[in-house]
Amino acid sequence: MVQIPKQPVPSSPAPPAVPTSADVARLAGVSRATVSYVLNNTSAVRISEPTRRRVHEAAKELGYVPHAAARSLRAGHSRMVLMPSPNVPAGPLYSRFLSELQWALSRLDYTVVQYGGIGLDRDEAARAWAELRPVAVIVPGGGLGAEGVHVLKRSGARAVVTLGSERVEGAHALLLDQDGVGHSVGVHLLARGRRRVGVVMPEEPGLEFFSTPRLQGVRRALEGTDATVTELPLAYEEDSAARLAGRWRSLGLDSVFAYNDEYAMLLMRALQDEGVDIPRETAVVGADDLMLGRLLRPRLSTVHIELPSGRDLAELVDRAVRDPGGEPEVHEVFGARIVHRESS
Amino acid sequence: MVQIPKQPVPSSPAPPAVPTSADVARLAGVSRATVSYVLNNTSAVRISEPTRRRVHEAAKELGYVPHAAARSLRAGHSRMVLMPSPNVPAGPLYSRFLSELQWALSRLDYTVVQYGGIGLDRDEAARAWAELRPVAVIVPGGGLGAEGVHVLKRSGARAVVTLGSERVEGAHALLLDQDGVGHSVGVHLLARGRRRVGVVMPEEPGLEFFSTPRLQGVRRALEGTDATVTELPLAYEEDSAARLAGRWRSLGLDSVFAYNDEYAMLLMRALQDEGVDIPRETAVVGADDLMLGRLLRPRLSTVHIELPSGRDLAELVDRAVRDPGGEPEVHEVFGARIVHRESS
């Protein structure tokens, strides 16, 4: 690891004074209220063009920037939408959704702030978010309970939206049907004549919010048939995959749902190195429909997942902020369909 | 795309009143100052245990949460460290660095806030960040100029740290030597007897901050030799790779630096589909040392990149916050070394 050398901290001199709106008012020769009207572009008050210009020039000369927190204290609420960062690195699919959402919220004049709640439990995290007084909070997958929603609302959040498999009391919910991902794979494998299905369960923490409902979905698809499901714990490491591949034939499986495309690539390589013929001996299916699946040989079968549009979610947030007393909205917003290629 | 149905927004009823510290004081029968002392855990003032308990119970009953912005207005500065989100999706390497940094800053009692500045130019972005009055700002790759640093400092930011190939006046700099990544590849290919080197230049916007200095590094390594460099524009799409592979033999190259491991996987597959023998006809080298490179056949040669430790950067931020008048620190914090596998 490259080191940054440690250096002693000298006793701190006073930092330079930060210019305030009072300084701007003094330099421009106007009242503080006028400064506020001009810089916040209020149309309710008529202010002459020369005065406007004087205020802008004074602000520029002093390097004055309005204080968002002070403005929100005056207004009684902020335009800040808080999105806690997910605990797992976001994949390409989710990253694109987030950036579309940020863009759409910016267009509606909200400031989007992402906040890492690492190491906090659910209710502590909600309290930390509440201290920032966001006007709305969007929480991905499992990070919030009913108590947390209550804390946020009591601190002035007008809208709390969760993205996950389950509803949380008091919050708007976009239901992401992870169960449906597994279900579509189960139906596909049954139709291809497979009966002994392995399901990869990643050992990395944080992924159980996705893997557990996906496993349930596979089970649901196979219910009432003679097909069986075998859980296969797997770490995202070559060694772990090699060990699983080494005992593959003793498991007697004819197919595997590998959780997602990246785990599928890892496992497929290990199986091929063991001489397992794909798909003849074992069918392999991933999920997420990443490009890498098309680059593998045989080409990887996968599940194409549709997230809601960031713009629709931004509009839901805006609607909820303007009508904080409304009934929580619940929408099922997940599309899952199998993409059949060569590996199954 | 799954649609969220639009719904009319009824006229907004007044939201419920947010409890303030005055409400807590009233319920507990103490002064507002006492509430503040107790909830901010001030050790300078002695307050009896029963009083403390009364304040905590009243706060809990009312659902009162302190207001971070109000607290920072009183204190004159915040504990917020702002990190603008990069414009390109963060890869796994950078994601891990960010989460380590967030964790380390949280341990030093800073609140880390990520902020998307999508669609803003550099100086506008700095002004938007300044409105949040962060105590420190950490800016990745090329997002900030000297004017922006000035705006941030005038609005009270005690430390501005840039992560990139170049210094910005007035800011602390962690220099990420992208040039060195390309240089290590150039030296490696020369040593393997290659003389006609292609360099992939991704067409996706935002990546030029990385690809341009990497290209320079390859050129620098080949200077004074008879080797040549050919730039190869490539979009991260199968079609684009197939077109490049289709005219590969007319280019007369014996090697290619594919920008990173993901572009290398894309290009290597297209070259193999054209029957190009790797590495005999063409050596391929990626960068980032992702696991997928070890899963390819032939196994991918790559550049292992070491980012600075998140903890070291957190300590630099803390040092700079405590000594805002100090000289900007400049550290070269990037390690690049070639990992030679089968593809070169």
Side-chain angles (χ1 to χ4, degrees), chain A:
Chain A
M1 188 61 77
V2 186
Q3 296 276 321
I4 301 174
K6 298 194 190 317
Q7 301 188 355
V9 177
S11 62
S12 175
V18 174
T20 66
S21 67
D23 299 326
V24 178
R26 207 171 301 119
L27 184 62
V30 300
S31 70
R32 280 186 73 175
T34 302
V35 171
S36 167
Y37 292 143
V38 171
L39 295 182
N40 291 311
N41 236 332
T42 310
S43 56
V45 182
R46 276 187 69 107
I47 292 168
S48 74
E49 212 28 67
T51 304
R52 274 184 201 281
R53 210 176 314 123
R54 244 177 22 247
V55 169
H56 280 297
E57 278 164 6
K60 197 168 173 197
E61 188 178 328
L62 293 169
Y64 172 73
V65 177
H67 190 323
R71 197 157 57 191
S72 80
L73 282 176
R74 278 198 305 275
H77 67 89
S78 71
R79 296 291 287 177
M80 182 200 293
V81 177
L82 190 80
M83 300 213 303
S85 319
N87 286 326
V88 287
L93 201 69
Y94 191 67
S95 297
R96 206 176 52 200
F97 163 69
L98 284 186
S99 89
E100 192 188 304
L101 176 61
Q102 287 201 342
W103 180 84
L105 284 167
S106 305
R107 299 260 303 189
L108 292 169
D109 202 27
Y110 292 95
T111 298
V112 180
V113 160
Q114 274 191 283
Y115 184 89
I118 295 156
L120 296 175
D121 80 12
R122 301 205 311 185
D123 291 338
E124 280 175 348
R127 223 171 300 276
W129 303 335
E131 289 201 7
L132 296 173
R133 292 292 190 275
V135 72
V137 183
I138 302 173
V139 189
L144 191 69
E147 171 65 23
V149 174
H150 183 72
V151 166
L152 287 167
K153 290 200 158 177
R154 284 301 283 158
S155 72
R158 288 167 169 229
V160 179
V161 183
T162 61
L163 291 158
S165 308
E166 287 172 18
R167 285 195 60 176
V168 179
E169 200 191 310
H172 302 272
L174 296 193
L175 295 178
L176 307 181
D177 179 20
Q178 297 291 344
D179 176 287
V181 175
H183 188 262
S184 70
V185 176
V187 167
H188 170 71
L189 290 175
L190 267 184
R192 308 290 304 164
R194 310 288 169 157
R195 288 295 177 273
R196 296 185 51 78
V197 180
V199 176
V200 166
M201 301 297 284
E203 290 180 344
E204 284 68 27
L207 297 182
E208 62 276 9
F209 286 113
F210 309 101
S211 61
T212 304
R214 287 181 185 192
L215 172 67
Q216 290 307 328
V218 175
R219 287 194 198 284
R220 191 161 58 84
L222 304 188
E223 241 168 42
T225 73
D226 60 348
T228 60
V229 172
T230 304
E231 293 183 41
L232 304 169
L234 177 65
Y236 193 58
E237 287 159 15
E238 277 184 290
D239 283 357
S240 177
R243 275 195 304 274
L244 178 57
R247 58 192 184 91
W248 193 255
R249 289 192 168 108
S250 72
L251 293 168
L253 302 174
D254 59 21
S255 54
V256 59
F257 173 37
Y259 175 67
N260 73 9
D261 291 350
E262 287 165 310
Y263 282 82
M265 179 182 184
L266 174 67
L267 181 58
M268 199 158 99
R269 165 56 57 203
L271 291 175
Q272 286 173 327
D273 285 352
E274 281 289 324
V276 175
D277 186 323
I278 295 166
R280 206 181 45 79
E281 279 185 78
T282 301
V284 179
V285 181
D288 287 353
D289 196 10
L290 300 186
M291 179 165 25
L292 72 81
R294 295 197 298 273
L295 301 178
L296 299 179
R297 296 294 178 269
R299 290 175 176 81
L300 184 67
S301 294
T302 188
V303 181
H304 183 82
I305 294 173
E306 278 191 4
L307 290 172
S309 99
R311 208 164 57 174
D312 285 351
L313 176 49
E315 281 171 11
L316 186 155
V317 167
D318 188 47
R319 208 155 58 222
V321 165
R322 286 151 68 199
D323 177 26
E327 272 297 297
E329 295 183 30
V330 177
H331 302 287
E332 307 217 353
V333 290
F334 214 52
R337 72 181 156 75
I338 200 88
V339 179
H340 182 201
R341 297 201 189 101
E342 302 159 358
S343 68
S344 65

